[in-house]
Amino acid sequence: MANRLKFRKILKKLHLISSMVLFAFLLMYFVTAFILIRHNWFPQSKPEVTKQTVPFKLNPHTTDFKSLADPIKDYLEITGRTDEPFQRKDSCWIYNVYRPGIHQHIVLNKEKENLTVTTNKQLTLVRISSRLHLMRHYKGGILYYIWAFIYDLAAVSMLVFGISGILIWVKMKKAYKNGLYYLLAGTAISAAVLIYLMI
């Protein structure tokens, strides 16, 4: 009996903690998603686009141009997350660096040893909210690592919240029948949406 009460207490604690983590994450997600959906309610502006060409001396021993992404960022004194670099048909290498509201498109011309940097800046709520929804993976620096960890923490919290909730509910005989209807309805809706998206 004592062990059963202790287990139920632990379940309730887990359920409470995971709900607090989820609330903070879902509140942020709701606000940013609302801004995206109702973007016409918020101030709009045209992106500020600037372009510059700067010299960039290449190391003659450099053969792995994919590894130049971080040195280029340091050289230009910019921060953000870098997409996978790729080479164009004209042999130029492309580096795209993103941070909320700012996109920098960098072209490395290895023949002329220079960088062409095109900066697209649009620091509006809508644009920043859009980038927040697209940020993922553990790369880009400490702040991006923290953001990715928050995503993982929220995902784990969802599982803990759901599993602990079901275990608590199963023990409550009075609420078992009504809870079963909600569980089946939620499962059916989720399955219907998934099937619809896959068709």
Side-chain angles (χ1 to χ4, degrees):
M1 184 68 179
N3 288 335
R4 188 180 299 176
L5 290 174
K6 187 176 180 180
F7 178 69
R8 186 174 295 181
K9 188 176 181 180
I10 292 172
L11 275 180
K12 289 182 177 180
K13 283 284 185 182
L14 287 172
H15 197 67
L16 176 63
I17 293 170
S18 60
S19 70
M20 294 297 100
V21 173
L22 280 177
F23 175 77
F25 178 79
L26 292 176
L27 180 62
M28 176 280 301
Y29 211 77
F30 165 78
V31 171
T32 54
F34 180 81
I35 292 171
L36 290 177
I37 293 168
R38 298 293 182 181
H39 59 90
N40 56 316
W41 291 7
F42 299 91
Q44 305 289 326
S45 67
K46 291 183 178 179
E48 298 176 19
V49 181
T50 59
K51 190 174 183 178
Q52 62 174 330
T53 300
V54 296
F56 185 72
K57 186 70 175 177
L58 287 169
N59 185 330
H61 302 294
T62 299
T63 55
D64 185 9
F65 285 90
K66 288 186 177 183
S67 66
L68 284 177
D70 288 335
I72 287 175
K73 286 166 59 179
D74 293 339
Y75 179 74
L76 296 173
E77 297 181 348
I78 61 176
T79 59
R81 302 183 63 167
T82 310
D83 278 353
E84 187 70 19
F86 65 93
Q87 189 176 27
R88 290 193 319 207
K89 292 181 180 179
D90 59 1
S91 79
C92 291
W93 277 86
I94 308 300
Y95 305 86
N96 286 299
V97 182
Y98 297 93
R99 61 184 186 273
I102 301 175
H103 167 217
Q104 280 155 321
H105 179 76
I106 303 166
V107 179
L108 169 62
N109 188 326
K110 60 182 182 180
E111 302 298 329
K112 297 181 180 179
E113 294 190 337
N114 63 34
L115 299 169
T116 301
V117 185
T118 304
T119 302
N120 188 314
K121 184 184 293 185
Q122 195 174 15
L123 297 173
T124 63
L125 274 176
V126 175
R127 183 67 176 173
I128 292 173
S129 297
S130 174
R131 289 307 309 174
L132 285 174
H133 276 257
L134 294 174
M135 285 167 54
R136 53 191 179 273
H137 305 308
Y138 285 90
K139 61 179 182 178
I142 185 64
L143 293 177
Y144 297 91
Y145 285 20
I146 293 172
W147 187 255
F149 176 75
I150 290 173
Y151 269 106
D152 285 345
L153 183 63
V156 172
S157 296
M158 286 182 187
L159 291 174
V160 173
F161 182 77
I163 293 170
S164 60
I166 288 174
L167 291 175
I168 292 170
W169 158 68
V170 167
K171 300 294 183 181
M172 299 172 64
K173 294 182 179 179
K174 291 183 179 179
Y176 184 83
K177 187 176 181 181
N178 291 335
L180 185 61
Y181 294 146
Y182 291 120
L183 179 62
L184 291 174
T187 303
I189 292 171
S190 298
V193 171
L194 185 62
I195 292 169
Y196 174 78
L197 293 174
M198 292 176 65
I199 293 176

